[in-house]
Amino acid sequence: MRFFSDNAARIHPQVMAAIAAADTLDTAYAGDQWSQQLDGRLSALFETEVAVLWVPTGTAANCLALAALCPPHGGIVCHRDAHIQNDEGGAPEFYTHGAKLFLADGDGAKLTPATIRTVLDAIPDDVHRVQPHAISITNATEYGQVYRPHEVAEIGALAKERGLGFHMDGARFANAMVHAGCSPADMTWRAGVDALSFGFVKNGAMSAEALVFFKPELAAVTQYRRKRAGLLLSKGRYLAAQILAMLEDDLWLANGRAANQAATRLAAAAGDRLVHPVEANEVFLRATPDEAAALRAQGFDFYDWAAGEIRLVTAWDTPVGPVDQLADAIRAL
Amino acid sequence: MRFFSDNAARIHPQVMAAIAAADTLDTAYAGDQWSQQLDGRLSALFETEVAVLWVPTGTAANCLALAALCPPHGGIVCHRDAHIQNDEGGAPEFYTHGAKLFLADGDGAKLTPATIRTVLDAIPDDVHRVQPHAISITNATEYGQVYRPHEVAEIGALAKERGLGFHMDGARFANAMVHAGCSPADMTWRAGVDALSFGFVKNGAMSAEALVFFKPELAAVTQYRRKRAGLLLSKGRYLAAQILAMLEDDLWLANGRAANQAATRLAAAAGDRLVHPVEANEVFLRATPDEAAALRAQGFDFYDWAAGEIRLVTAWDTPVGPVDQLADAIRAL
Amino acid sequence: MRFFSDNAARIHPQVMAAIAAADTLDTAYAGDQWSQQLDGRLSALFETEVAVLWVPTGTAANCLALAALCPPHGGIVCHRDAHIQNDEGGAPEFYTHGAKLFLADGDGAKLTPATIRTVLDAIPDDVHRVQPHAISITNATEYGQVYRPHEVAEIGALAKERGLGFHMDGARFANAMVHAGCSPADMTWRAGVDALSFGFVKNGAMSAEALVFFKPELAAVTQYRRKRAGLLLSKGRYLAAQILAMLEDDLWLANGRAANQAATRLAAAAGDRLVHPVEANEVFLRATPDEAAALRAQGFDFYDWAAGEIRLVTAWDTPVGPVDQLADAIRAL
Amino acid sequence: MRFFSDNAARIHPQVMAAIAAADTLDTAYAGDQWSQQLDGRLSALFETEVAVLWVPTGTAANCLALAALCPPHGGIVCHRDAHIQNDEGGAPEFYTHGAKLFLADGDGAKLTPATIRTVLDAIPDDVHRVQPHAISITNATEYGQVYRPHEVAEIGALAKERGLGFHMDGARFANAMVHAGCSPADMTWRAGVDALSFGFVKNGAMSAEALVFFKPELAAVTQYRRKRAGLLLSKGRYLAAQILAMLEDDLWLANGRAANQAATRLAAAAGDRLVHPVEANEVFLRATPDEAAALRAQGFDFYDWAAGEIRLVTAWDTPVGPVDQLADAIRAL
């Protein structure tokens, strides 16, 4: 059983059905009836007017957002373990035309106003230094930690104070929201977020993420950038339909809840082995190479992480049986 | 009935079935069993070793190819009506980091060695001038014209003589191949082509194009560029499966043939109105605004083109009935 | 005697003296007393508040200006014979991160509102097309033609109407101003110009051009871009001092006048051979290869231009004697 | 007396004389007799065939070198206190089109094979991670430390082992060479260096640095990049003449020696206050804010560095008297 990542999970049947239902001739690009619904549907969800662009990957969503918030000669504060720094092959630099990522610290890949300030305060305001223009956080983080709305708001306040844009990488936004239990509005724009990469692919979609701008004027220019990046699929209706299906009856939350619950079962078995508290769908636990090998010998696949650590990721479709078997195997180590 | 473009057509049922069949957990990105088959399948089709990357759009395919063939400080010769010049929102400049497109002439958007030479010979070899590094042609062209293998080979010989890379935008490669009736090898690498954007989206796929490198080493570096551009979908298996389905039993040729035949029926009705001979699935014909309005009043939708011209595009799924009705309506003008 | 170009002329003695006078320890970069005077001196000259950055080349001035006026995904209308299109090695694309140059026509490399409109009107307002964001003209043009203030103002009005930035490449601004005989203000910001590359190198300086922003906020961001481009010389005082010396007692105009007068003497000799009226310091004339050879045999050096044409360029320091000898030689052809 | 930096020092009289001597009409750009001598003169100095480009700033030299060694999608290992990381306003990212700088540790801003390996070994070889393509070191470092030839060679061997390019920022190469006392060849290409930014501006020149390629083919492509960056001054002879003057009779070494000796006198006075051993022309010493104020009250100007540290920089022209006065003042603290 695979616990490598949620990014290879299957497509939820309702999403697949929505794709099939969109299989009719309509206007190309984003002119179809599905794409045209996105702004309205997500404005309702976020309780404010938003402008939304579908894109096929989370990297694309993140980097279009960063390019909207930071000029080529600027910089972006992010955690040193952030996906945009380590796992996107330099896409932030490509999309921003060479902006610099300033790396900040924080437990569990979470930034705090203090760790951000440490970075900002070390940058004198002169032309020799790349100046910060934005902050990017990931929620849930790369280590499965969830920012609460007040934590986001504190960073948002700092961003506003310093005149910086504020982006949230929500590749696992559903998992974060399930844990936080607040409204999407409280987690984002009410806390100062300007742009959200609202992830669906890890959560049951096939190939659609929503880039949500809480300042709609940022979407206007990003439309051009999306096209320029080769991201404007001609049959965009199949992407929009996925997103609409994920929003229908809060499927996104139901899927996130399923993934989180599976991770929680593993966490319960892991006890003292846990490296981070389990707040979303990722479980990091200490395991010797022998222990890791023992788990693999029982048919469980996963990534080694730092030395003496392994990472287990659950998804919306991770079946209960194997989860419980893995939990038992962990207890038996 | 819509004759706007083939880029909004439906998905062929066999492609949809292939997507559904790929809906099982597998390795992410391009590590899955479907993606892993692409090199082999396309090497067989092209009778030589090729390296293939799936991408979600033709623009992405074209521009990754151009970036592989031209440095940031170089230039690319293309037709002044080429898609890369007019319809990709500056994506070639984005992907190449600012290479310049040199615009050449030619009837029906076809380049010839002579028109390319005119451009090349006007560029002195000094550091003040952007130097040409590549040639890009479109087959079938933006006006539905088809390069024959010997025409491609003449351009390929010129490219070799001048040390230039050679790219073919094959967004409508199927339509071209149906018309030319030659082998894919003769149309491409045997004629000197280094990279082909092998289009499927206009021809029955949902969101997958194949970027085919006849020099596999170009694919190695392009793997990094694809990721960096946010184009490496985590569930790449759904893209690879589409391509494999299109190749199965030459579905791509069957679909291209259907589209071409529909266009041919319209052409037969158009007679002297034709602006270009109809060789693929696009029909350009002279029509006054009143005539265009008359067609629209009968329920036919299409784009106005140059003054006094309209464009009709057929696709794999354009039903015979409406085609014949439109043909009759054209005759009746 | 060399009539190749004014860009290799000597340094005016007053400029050389100013360089020597600046040879004292002062603050680095642009913090020195000379650099600090530029805004004031040029604000006085232009009768409005301007913000000025010195740079070492005209290409740098032009391209920093373009980058300030056009985003990476935008385009700039210029003449198809413009220096930025043909002679800057792709620097506009580098500095703008890939903006596209839209090429317009016009006699003598002069744009007109009509030729600009032809370009603009051919670009539909959709995301598939690079959208125009700026216009760039050259005064005097590459063919030595001078825009009069009202001609600039007509283009400025068009720029304003379409929401476009407006740049003037003034590599030979002095030569243009001598011919036009108007105020610098009338030729620039009063006519709608946002940024001027005010050239001195061709006119007696060694290595300093002034990039003049009539919207000072554009200079603020360009300060960062200048540094980022490696153009912020640490000993900037030697550049600022050159500019100040050129402005002192209108040396720039005196030098421009000298060059123009030399060209006028050649023009008088050329008669019907003239390809363009001579308004600045460039003389284009018809000459057969034999005639060109005959001139060269007498010791005159110059560039062949289009077939059957040669170009003669005079500079501030072109001595009268050789000019008259060349004039005689032309008459004698 | 100013001890801020060597980058604002005066021009050496022999350099000024060389500028004046170059004030004659010659070919533009790099076609003049001075520019044409650079390859030969520096090949002799380095005892191997090199190809040399003059540029007006050290930032330009560094970043053209990096762009020659690293593709846009790659990365460069440098010290976290390197000039290219902190003091060039993002120029490396601009010139490389978005390459990433990987920050390594080391005392006194010196990298070691071990600290470089720590960085390299943390980067898995997959498309999701930016891959390292080059190493850049600074000699003398930002803290005035000098790499010895064997230290450079160890890094060069690592670069070769990993297939990485190797750049040396020699903004203070003269100061390093004076200290090391070895041949320029031993310090550079024999130790594996591919490209050297050979600095002259901090050492008595006005506006000329030499970018030296030990692989001449890298210079060929960089010629285009230099032009494209707006760095190809039309009157390049004045830059080349500066470099030639600095090389004449080893003026560069004499100047470097003068600066180093002044620093050594300050170091002798500083005793236990020294933060780093003084090997070049920079003196970092511990001083409380009160002590710093006391020095300033005596007329000495300098930068505060880290908390409780000040930086004193000497130059070729720092007069002995003030140096000794400052030394006395330090002793008297």
Side-chain angles (χ1 to χ4, degrees), chain B residues 30 35 38-39 42 50-56 61 64 196 198 208-213 216 218-227 232 239 243, chain D residues 127:
Chain B
S35 298
L38 289 181
D39 284 1
L42 283 155
V50 302
V52 182
L53 283 76
W54 45 251
V55 287
L64 285 172
L196 168 71
F198 192 162
E209 312 279 71
L211 173 51
V212 181
F213 285 108
L218 295 176
V221 67
T222 303
Q223 302 251 20
Y224 290 94
R225 293 179 183 274
R226 175 174 66 173
K227 172 68 194 184
L232 185 62
L239 277 72
I243 296 171
Chain D
V127 297

mmCIF file of all heavy atoms in Angstrom, chain B residues 30 35 38-39 42 50-56 61 64 196 198 208-213 216 218-227 232 239 243, chain D residues 127:
data_model
loop_
_atom_site.group_PDB
_atom_site.id
_atom_site.type_symbol
_atom_site.label_atom_id
_atom_site.label_comp_id
_atom_site.label_asym_id
_atom_site.label_seq_id
_atom_site.Cartn_x
_atom_site.Cartn_y
_atom_site.Cartn_z
ATOM 1 N N ALA B 30 5.847 11.802 -13.967
ATOM 2 C CA ALA B 30 5.958 11.039 -15.199
ATOM 3 C C ALA B 30 6.545 9.655 -14.945
ATOM 4 O O ALA B 30 7.100 9.024 -15.842
ATOM 5 C CB ALA B 30 6.805 11.805 -16.218
ATOM 6 N N SER B 35 3.108 6.997 -18.751
ATOM 7 C CA SER B 35 4.148 7.934 -19.191
ATOM 8 C C SER B 35 5.383 7.188 -19.668
ATOM 9 O O SER B 35 6.049 7.604 -20.625
ATOM 10 C CB SER B 35 4.524 8.878 -18.042
ATOM 11 O OG SER B 35 3.410 9.657 -17.643
ATOM 12 N N LEU B 38 5.641 6.168 -23.395
ATOM 13 C CA LEU B 38 5.585 7.125 -24.503
ATOM 14 C C LEU B 38 6.793 7.056 -25.415
ATOM 15 O O LEU B 38 6.667 7.069 -26.649
ATOM 16 C CB LEU B 38 5.406 8.544 -23.964
ATOM 17 C CG LEU B 38 4.040 8.857 -23.369
ATOM 18 C CD1 LEU B 38 4.011 10.320 -22.912
ATOM 19 C CD2 LEU B 38 2.924 8.602 -24.377
ATOM 20 N N ASP B 39 7.970 7.026 -24.819
ATOM 21 C CA ASP B 39 9.171 6.999 -25.655
ATOM 22 C C ASP B 39 9.125 5.823 -26.624
ATOM 23 O O ASP B 39 9.411 5.961 -27.821
ATOM 24 C CB ASP B 39 10.431 6.896 -24.790
ATOM 25 C CG ASP B 39 10.791 8.209 -24.126
ATOM 26 O OD1 ASP B 39 10.063 9.212 -24.312
ATOM 27 O OD2 ASP B 39 11.792 8.246 -23.393
ATOM 28 N N LEU B 42 6.249 6.150 -29.385
ATOM 29 C CA LEU B 42 6.497 7.154 -30.411
ATOM 30 C C LEU B 42 7.782 6.870 -31.179
ATOM 31 O O LEU B 42 7.908 7.239 -32.351
ATOM 32 C CB LEU B 42 6.472 8.554 -29.799
ATOM 33 C CG LEU B 42 5.018 9.004 -29.546
ATOM 34 C CD1 LEU B 42 4.921 10.038 -28.442
ATOM 35 C CD2 LEU B 42 4.399 9.541 -30.835
ATOM 36 N N VAL B 50 13.193 8.385 -30.175
ATOM 37 C CA VAL B 50 12.776 9.729 -29.795
ATOM 38 C C VAL B 50 12.603 9.771 -28.278
ATOM 39 O O VAL B 50 12.492 8.747 -27.621
ATOM 40 C CB VAL B 50 11.448 10.136 -30.475
ATOM 41 C CG1 VAL B 50 11.571 10.059 -31.983
ATOM 42 C CG2 VAL B 50 10.289 9.293 -29.966
ATOM 43 N N ALA B 51 12.617 10.993 -27.745
ATOM 44 C CA ALA B 51 12.307 11.192 -26.325
ATOM 45 C C ALA B 51 11.131 12.145 -26.262
ATOM 46 O O ALA B 51 11.123 13.181 -26.937
ATOM 47 C CB ALA B 51 13.510 11.773 -25.581
ATOM 48 N N VAL B 52 10.159 11.786 -25.448
ATOM 49 C CA VAL B 52 8.852 12.453 -25.488
ATOM 50 C C VAL B 52 8.467 12.994 -24.116
ATOM 51 O O VAL B 52 8.640 12.309 -23.109
ATOM 52 C CB VAL B 52 7.769 11.454 -25.955
ATOM 53 C CG1 VAL B 52 6.418 12.138 -26.055
ATOM 54 C CG2 VAL B 52 8.171 10.823 -27.275
ATOM 55 N N LEU B 53 7.949 14.200 -24.109
ATOM 56 C CA LEU B 53 7.381 14.761 -22.886
ATOM 57 C C LEU B 53 5.932 15.152 -23.150
ATOM 58 O O LEU B 53 5.658 15.875 -24.115
ATOM 59 C CB LEU B 53 8.140 16.024 -22.452
ATOM 60 C CG LEU B 53 9.489 15.858 -21.773
ATOM 61 C CD1 LEU B 53 10.564 15.502 -22.771
ATOM 62 C CD2 LEU B 53 9.861 17.139 -21.031
ATOM 63 N N TRP B 54 5.042 14.697 -22.300
ATOM 64 C CA TRP B 54 3.661 15.205 -22.413
ATOM 65 C C TRP B 54 3.595 16.603 -21.780
ATOM 66 O O TRP B 54 4.335 16.903 -20.833
ATOM 67 C CB TRP B 54 2.639 14.284 -21.755
ATOM 68 C CG TRP B 54 2.987 13.745 -20.394
ATOM 69 C CD1 TRP B 54 3.315 12.463 -20.076
ATOM 70 C CD2 TRP B 54 3.016 14.475 -19.145
ATOM 71 N NE1 TRP B 54 3.559 12.336 -18.721
ATOM 72 C CE2 TRP B 54 3.379 13.553 -18.127
ATOM 73 C CE3 TRP B 54 2.786 15.791 -18.783
ATOM 74 C CZ2 TRP B 54 3.509 13.918 -16.777
ATOM 75 C CZ3 TRP B 54 2.933 16.171 -17.444
ATOM 76 C CH2 TRP B 54 3.276 15.237 -16.466
ATOM 77 N N VAL B 55 2.743 17.410 -22.330
ATOM 78 C CA VAL B 55 2.448 18.734 -21.757
ATOM 79 C C VAL B 55 0.968 19.005 -21.987
ATOM 80 O O VAL B 55 0.352 18.396 -22.868
ATOM 81 C CB VAL B 55 3.283 19.866 -22.395
ATOM 82 C CG1 VAL B 55 4.734 19.786 -21.940
ATOM 83 C CG2 VAL B 55 3.201 19.819 -23.910
ATOM 84 N N PRO B 56 0.400 19.932 -21.218
ATOM 85 C CA PRO B 56 -1.053 20.117 -21.315
ATOM 86 C C PRO B 56 -1.524 21.025 -22.440
ATOM 87 O O PRO B 56 -2.719 21.084 -22.696
ATOM 88 C CB PRO B 56 -1.427 20.717 -19.953
ATOM 89 C CG PRO B 56 -0.190 21.396 -19.484
ATOM 90 C CD PRO B 56 0.964 20.606 -20.041
ATOM 91 N N ALA B 61 4.133 23.041 -25.516
ATOM 92 C CA ALA B 61 4.982 22.184 -26.349
ATOM 93 C C ALA B 61 5.861 23.030 -27.257
ATOM 94 O O ALA B 61 7.083 22.847 -27.336
ATOM 95 C CB ALA B 61 4.119 21.228 -27.181
ATOM 96 N N LEU B 64 8.546 25.112 -25.103
ATOM 97 C CA LEU B 64 9.633 24.288 -24.561
ATOM 98 C C LEU B 64 10.566 23.868 -25.696
ATOM 99 O O LEU B 64 11.790 23.829 -25.513
ATOM 100 C CB LEU B 64 9.065 23.058 -23.856
ATOM 101 C CG LEU B 64 8.440 23.305 -22.486
ATOM 102 C CD1 LEU B 64 7.742 22.039 -21.994
ATOM 103 C CD2 LEU B 64 9.491 23.756 -21.463
ATOM 104 N N LEU B 196 9.218 18.212 -32.523
ATOM 105 C CA LEU B 196 7.852 18.304 -33.051
ATOM 106 C C LEU B 196 6.874 18.474 -31.901
ATOM 107 O O LEU B 196 6.898 17.703 -30.943
ATOM 108 C CB LEU B 196 7.509 17.002 -33.800
ATOM 109 C CG LEU B 196 6.028 16.799 -34.176
ATOM 110 C CD1 LEU B 196 5.598 17.761 -35.291
ATOM 111 C CD2 LEU B 196 5.764 15.339 -34.576
ATOM 112 N N PHE B 198 3.551 17.577 -31.233
ATOM 113 C CA PHE B 198 2.609 16.621 -31.818
ATOM 114 C C PHE B 198 1.276 16.839 -31.104
ATOM 115 O O PHE B 198 1.115 16.450 -29.949
ATOM 116 C CB PHE B 198 3.155 15.204 -31.602
ATOM 117 C CG PHE B 198 2.474 14.102 -32.367
ATOM 118 C CD1 PHE B 198 3.117 12.880 -32.538
ATOM 119 C CD2 PHE B 198 1.205 14.243 -32.924
ATOM 120 C CE1 PHE B 198 2.523 11.832 -33.244
ATOM 121 C CE2 PHE B 198 0.608 13.212 -33.627
ATOM 122 C CZ PHE B 198 1.266 12.005 -33.777
ATOM 123 N N ALA B 208 -3.669 16.845 -23.561
ATOM 124 C CA ALA B 208 -2.335 16.253 -23.677
ATOM 125 C C ALA B 208 -1.780 16.437 -25.073
ATOM 126 O O ALA B 208 -2.438 16.083 -26.064
ATOM 127 C CB ALA B 208 -2.375 14.767 -23.337
ATOM 128 N N GLU B 209 -0.603 17.014 -25.137
ATOM 129 C CA GLU B 209 0.156 17.108 -26.366
ATOM 130 C C GLU B 209 1.483 16.394 -26.121
ATOM 131 O O GLU B 209 1.967 16.334 -24.984
ATOM 132 C CB GLU B 209 0.458 18.575 -26.725
ATOM 133 C CG GLU B 209 -0.728 19.507 -26.656
ATOM 134 C CD GLU B 209 -1.639 19.477 -27.878
ATOM 135 O OE1 GLU B 209 -2.348 18.467 -28.049
ATOM 136 O OE2 GLU B 209 -1.648 20.450 -28.629
ATOM 137 N N ALA B 210 2.085 15.908 -27.177
ATOM 138 C CA ALA B 210 3.385 15.234 -27.042
ATOM 139 C C ALA B 210 4.469 16.113 -27.653
ATOM 140 O O ALA B 210 4.381 16.475 -28.824
ATOM 141 C CB ALA B 210 3.357 13.881 -27.737
ATOM 142 N N LEU B 211 5.444 16.443 -26.835
ATOM 143 C CA LEU B 211 6.606 17.149 -27.355
ATOM 144 C C LEU B 211 7.655 16.088 -27.674
ATOM 145 O O LEU B 211 8.182 15.436 -26.774
ATOM 146 C CB LEU B 211 7.120 18.149 -26.317
ATOM 147 C CG LEU B 211 8.433 18.853 -26.621
ATOM 148 C CD1 LEU B 211 8.451 19.491 -27.998
ATOM 149 C CD2 LEU B 211 8.722 19.889 -25.557
ATOM 150 N N VAL B 212 7.917 15.922 -28.968
ATOM 151 C CA VAL B 212 8.770 14.835 -29.438
ATOM 152 C C VAL B 212 10.124 15.395 -29.846
ATOM 153 O O VAL B 212 10.209 16.259 -30.726
ATOM 154 C CB VAL B 212 8.123 14.126 -30.652
ATOM 155 C CG1 VAL B 212 9.009 12.976 -31.127
ATOM 156 C CG2 VAL B 212 6.726 13.642 -30.300
ATOM 157 N N PHE B 213 11.149 14.910 -29.190
ATOM 158 C CA PHE B 213 12.516 15.321 -29.532
ATOM 159 C C PHE B 213 13.196 14.207 -30.331
ATOM 160 O O PHE B 213 13.296 13.071 -29.873
ATOM 161 C CB PHE B 213 13.336 15.609 -28.287
ATOM 162 C CG PHE B 213 12.996 16.921 -27.632
ATOM 163 C CD1 PHE B 213 12.313 16.957 -26.422
ATOM 164 C CD2 PHE B 213 13.365 18.127 -28.216
ATOM 165 C CE1 PHE B 213 11.999 18.170 -25.813
ATOM 166 C CE2 PHE B 213 13.056 19.343 -27.610
ATOM 167 C CZ PHE B 213 12.368 19.363 -26.410
ATOM 168 N N PRO B 216 17.350 13.100 -28.502
ATOM 169 C CA PRO B 216 16.898 12.840 -27.128
ATOM 170 C C PRO B 216 17.597 13.684 -26.067
ATOM 171 O O PRO B 216 17.013 13.962 -25.016
ATOM 172 C CB PRO B 216 17.183 11.342 -26.953
ATOM 173 C CG PRO B 216 17.083 10.777 -28.341
ATOM 174 C CD PRO B 216 17.663 11.856 -29.231
ATOM 175 N N LEU B 218 18.011 16.685 -26.033
ATOM 176 C CA LEU B 218 17.233 17.910 -25.807
ATOM 177 C C LEU B 218 16.102 17.677 -24.808
ATOM 178 O O LEU B 218 15.696 18.592 -24.093
ATOM 179 C CB LEU B 218 16.649 18.425 -27.127
ATOM 180 C CG LEU B 218 17.646 18.881 -28.182
ATOM 181 C CD1 LEU B 218 16.910 19.273 -29.468
ATOM 182 C CD2 LEU B 218 18.481 20.055 -27.677
ATOM 183 N N ALA B 219 15.621 16.457 -24.773
ATOM 184 C CA ALA B 219 14.558 16.153 -23.816
ATOM 185 C C ALA B 219 15.091 16.152 -22.388
ATOM 186 O O ALA B 219 14.390 16.522 -21.445
ATOM 187 C CB ALA B 219 13.925 14.799 -24.131
ATOM 188 N N ALA B 220 16.337 15.760 -22.232
ATOM 189 C CA ALA B 220 16.898 15.671 -20.881
ATOM 190 C C ALA B 220 16.863 17.027 -20.196
ATOM 191 O O ALA B 220 16.418 17.151 -19.048
ATOM 192 C CB ALA B 220 18.329 15.119 -20.948
ATOM 193 N N VAL B 221 17.303 18.043 -20.892
ATOM 194 C CA VAL B 221 17.295 19.368 -20.267
ATOM 195 C C VAL B 221 15.870 19.929 -20.195
ATOM 196 O O VAL B 221 15.518 20.643 -19.255
ATOM 197 C CB VAL B 221 18.242 20.334 -21.000
ATOM 198 C CG1 VAL B 221 17.744 20.645 -22.396
ATOM 199 C CG2 VAL B 221 18.421 21.630 -20.231
ATOM 200 N N THR B 222 15.058 19.540 -21.151
ATOM 201 C CA THR B 222 13.685 20.059 -21.162
ATOM 202 C C THR B 222 12.856 19.500 -20.007
ATOM 203 O O THR B 222 11.892 20.127 -19.570
ATOM 204 C CB THR B 222 13.029 19.773 -22.521
ATOM 205 O OG1 THR B 222 13.839 20.366 -23.553
ATOM 206 C CG2 THR B 222 11.638 20.390 -22.619
ATOM 207 N N GLN B 223 13.236 18.352 -19.509
ATOM 208 C CA GLN B 223 12.556 17.831 -18.314
ATOM 209 C C GLN B 223 12.609 18.845 -17.180
ATOM 210 O O GLN B 223 11.631 19.039 -16.452
ATOM 211 C CB GLN B 223 13.264 16.562 -17.821
ATOM 212 C CG GLN B 223 13.333 15.455 -18.830
ATOM 213 C CD GLN B 223 12.429 14.293 -18.469
ATOM 214 O OE1 GLN B 223 11.507 14.461 -17.694
ATOM 215 N NE2 GLN B 223 12.707 13.146 -19.039
ATOM 216 N N TYR B 224 13.756 19.485 -17.023
ATOM 217 C CA TYR B 224 13.880 20.486 -15.967
ATOM 218 C C TYR B 224 13.049 21.719 -16.290
ATOM 219 O O TYR B 224 12.408 22.300 -15.421
ATOM 220 C CB TYR B 224 15.352 20.868 -15.768
ATOM 221 C CG TYR B 224 16.151 19.759 -15.146
ATOM 222 C CD1 TYR B 224 16.855 18.850 -15.930
ATOM 223 C CD2 TYR B 224 16.183 19.600 -13.769
ATOM 224 C CE1 TYR B 224 17.569 17.813 -15.362
ATOM 225 C CE2 TYR B 224 16.899 18.566 -13.182
ATOM 226 C CZ TYR B 224 17.590 17.676 -13.994
ATOM 227 O OH TYR B 224 18.286 16.650 -13.418
ATOM 228 N N ARG B 225 13.057 22.098 -17.536
ATOM 229 C CA ARG B 225 12.278 23.282 -17.929
ATOM 230 C C ARG B 225 10.775 23.033 -17.788
ATOM 231 O O ARG B 225 10.015 23.930 -17.445
ATOM 232 C CB ARG B 225 12.595 23.649 -19.379
ATOM 233 C CG ARG B 225 14.012 24.136 -19.601
ATOM 234 C CD ARG B 225 14.199 24.439 -21.097
ATOM 235 N NE ARG B 225 15.548 24.838 -21.417
ATOM 236 C CZ ARG B 225 15.995 26.082 -21.336
ATOM 237 N NH1 ARG B 225 15.187 27.034 -20.910
ATOM 238 N NH2 ARG B 225 17.244 26.373 -21.654
ATOM 239 N N ARG B 226 10.340 21.814 -18.102
ATOM 240 C CA ARG B 226 8.913 21.514 -17.966
ATOM 241 C C ARG B 226 8.476 21.675 -16.505
ATOM 242 O O ARG B 226 7.439 22.280 -16.218
ATOM 243 C CB ARG B 226 8.621 20.088 -18.450
ATOM 244 C CG ARG B 226 7.167 19.686 -18.220
ATOM 245 C CD ARG B 226 6.829 18.343 -18.832
ATOM 246 N NE ARG B 226 7.536 17.239 -18.196
ATOM 247 C CZ ARG B 226 7.322 15.961 -18.460
ATOM 248 N NH1 ARG B 226 6.409 15.612 -19.362
ATOM 249 N NH2 ARG B 226 8.002 15.019 -17.867
ATOM 250 N N LYS B 227 9.283 21.126 -15.624
ATOM 251 C CA LYS B 227 8.953 21.277 -14.201
ATOM 252 C C LYS B 227 8.968 22.745 -13.809
ATOM 253 O O LYS B 227 8.065 23.244 -13.125
ATOM 254 C CB LYS B 227 9.973 20.508 -13.353
ATOM 255 C CG LYS B 227 9.858 20.751 -11.858
ATOM 256 C CD LYS B 227 8.577 20.186 -11.271
ATOM 257 C CE LYS B 227 8.300 20.726 -9.880
ATOM 258 N NZ LYS B 227 7.114 20.118 -9.264
ATOM 259 N N LEU B 232 4.532 20.173 -14.998
ATOM 260 C CA LEU B 232 4.683 18.761 -14.676
ATOM 261 C C LEU B 232 3.536 18.343 -13.767
ATOM 262 O O LEU B 232 3.646 18.368 -12.541
ATOM 263 C CB LEU B 232 6.035 18.510 -14.005
ATOM 264 C CG LEU B 232 6.385 17.050 -13.721
ATOM 265 C CD1 LEU B 232 6.470 16.244 -15.019
ATOM 266 C CD2 LEU B 232 7.673 16.937 -12.931
ATOM 267 N N LEU B 239 -2.516 12.240 -18.684
ATOM 268 C CA LEU B 239 -2.090 12.829 -19.955
ATOM 269 C C LEU B 239 -1.490 11.763 -20.858
ATOM 270 O O LEU B 239 -1.808 11.678 -22.049
ATOM 271 C CB LEU B 239 -1.080 13.956 -19.721
ATOM 272 C CG LEU B 239 -1.684 15.319 -19.381
ATOM 273 C CD1 LEU B 239 -2.256 15.339 -17.981
ATOM 274 C CD2 LEU B 239 -0.681 16.428 -19.571
ATOM 275 N N ILE B 243 -2.608 10.250 -24.796
ATOM 276 C CA ILE B 243 -1.752 10.134 -25.978
ATOM 277 C C ILE B 243 -1.719 8.698 -26.474
ATOM 278 O O ILE B 243 -1.845 8.427 -27.678
ATOM 279 C CB ILE B 243 -0.337 10.654 -25.662
ATOM 280 C CG1 ILE B 243 -0.400 12.153 -25.334
ATOM 281 C CG2 ILE B 243 0.621 10.378 -26.818
ATOM 282 C CD1 ILE B 243 0.903 12.728 -24.788
ATOM 283 N N VAL D 127 13.996 16.393 -11.026
ATOM 284 C CA VAL D 127 13.547 17.619 -11.698
ATOM 285 C C VAL D 127 12.850 18.593 -10.770
ATOM 286 O O VAL D 127 12.618 19.745 -11.140
ATOM 287 C CB VAL D 127 12.603 17.313 -12.884
ATOM 288 C CG1 VAL D 127 13.315 16.511 -13.945
ATOM 289 C CG2 VAL D 127 11.329 16.633 -12.421
#
